[in-house]
Amino acid sequence: LPKGPLDALPLCVDSFVAVLQAGAPLAERRRPVTCDDLGRLPLVAHAPTREHVEEQLRVHGIEPRFVLEAATGAAVQGLVAAGLGAAVLPRLAVDERRLETAVLDLAPGVVANRTVAVVWSRMQPPRADASAFVESARSACAGEGLREPLLAG
């Protein structure tokens, strides 16, 4: 965080994945999805992460073709399942148990990971219950294999 009144504690790193309709030719290839692959597909945007995904694809010279946008991962995945486009979502926003969609890794470097963190004011240190929540969240992330080395903040 920039210098100021807030402190933060990273909980985990969340990678982005491609979500495709089950049976789509790209889904059947079962290989990481590249920038070029994404540039050829109509995309359903995830409103909370759209700006990040757009920026990352443009860095690679890809102008994303968003045809729809939804506010939640579940809604985006439903639109993908209906065949209305593919999506790039944070892994934590995807239900990998849905049979009507396929979740594929992105090729390395396509979209930078996001860091999930808790933030609080230095003016009011966290109470005991908030600290207990943070420790539970960190344990859950570690148990799911979501903890990765993070840059010092």
Side-chain angles (χ1 to χ4, degrees):
L1 288 174
K3 191 173 185 173
L6 302 177
D7 266 332
L9 178 69
L11 296 175
C12 65
V13 174
D14 187 16
S15 62
F16 282 78
V17 294
V19 182
L20 306 159
Q21 186 179 39
L26 188 57
E28 297 297 318
R29 293 194 307 207
R30 293 285 175 199
R31 63 167 178 76
V33 177
T34 67
C35 287
D36 289 339
D37 293 330
L38 293 173
R40 290 190 290 272
L41 297 170
L43 297 173
V44 178
H46 177 235
T49 59
R50 177 180 181 152
E51 186 177 319
H52 175 69
V53 170
E54 279 182 310
E55 176 184 289
Q56 295 289 298
L57 292 176
R58 287 180 178 143
V59 164
H60 297 291
I62 302 298
E63 187 61 39
R65 285 190 307 126
F66 290 111
V67 294
L68 292 167
E69 179 175 292
T72 67
V76 170
Q77 200 167 358
L79 294 169
V80 170
L84 300 174
V88 177
L89 287 169
R91 187 176 296 278
L92 289 175
V94 176
D95 182 351
E96 297 192 43
R97 301 167 297 179
R98 290 185 70 164
L99 300 178
E100 65 271 22
T101 57
V103 179
L104 293 135
D105 289 332
L106 295 175
V110 171
V111 176
N113 296 339
R114 68 179 184 162
T115 299
V116 177
V118 292
V119 180
W120 64 91
S121 170
R122 287 189 188 120
M123 307 302 269
Q124 184 175 354
R127 297 185 334 215
D129 54 349
S131 295
F133 168 79
V134 170
E135 283 312 308
S136 293
R138 292 184 82 191
S139 294
C141 289
E144 291 295 318
L146 298 171
R147 299 281 306 274
E148 293 181 13
L150 300 168
L151 296 174

